[in-house]
Amino acid sequence: MNQDNATGLIPFTIDLTLEEARRRAEVMAALGPDWDPVAALRDEDEAYALLYSGLDSEQRRTYDLLVAAGVLPGEDPGRAAAH
């Protein structure tokens, strides 16, 4: 058998569209009917603000450097780290 013969290969493809739809449906079912995405984002913003609220001047300087470098997200809405 000649292993260099690429024409003997059979293409293999999988369409994961149905599995992705099932996964998303399961996530939504797990969150339950009482899940409030707006409240979840508000709570996340409050937790983020609390996390960096008690910094002393040296810690604040380091935090500002990390934000400027894109390592940490800033305090703007819709924030995300640049890297």
Side-chain angles (χ1 to χ4, degrees):
M1 177 176 226
N2 185 359
Q3 292 185 1
D4 293 333
N5 183 4
T7 60
L9 299 177
I10 300 172
F12 182 76
T13 60
I14 298 176
D15 183 4
L16 297 176
T17 306
L18 181 63
E19 281 302 309
E20 179 61 15
R22 186 196 62 76
R23 184 193 68 79
R24 289 181 183 194
E26 291 294 330
V27 167
M28 294 307 293
L31 290 171
D34 297 329
W35 180 64
D36 182 1
V38 175
L41 289 173
R42 185 176 44 248
D43 292 345
E44 189 174 312
D45 285 341
E46 289 173 8
Y48 184 85
L50 184 61
L51 179 64
Y52 296 108
S53 66
L55 301 179
D56 63 27
S57 60
E58 179 64 22
Q59 291 169 330
R60 185 51 139 168
R61 187 182 68 73
T62 302
Y63 170 80
D64 291 340
L65 285 172
L66 292 172
V67 169
V71 175
L72 289 177
E75 296 173 357
D76 299 327
R79 62 186 169 266
H83 302 339

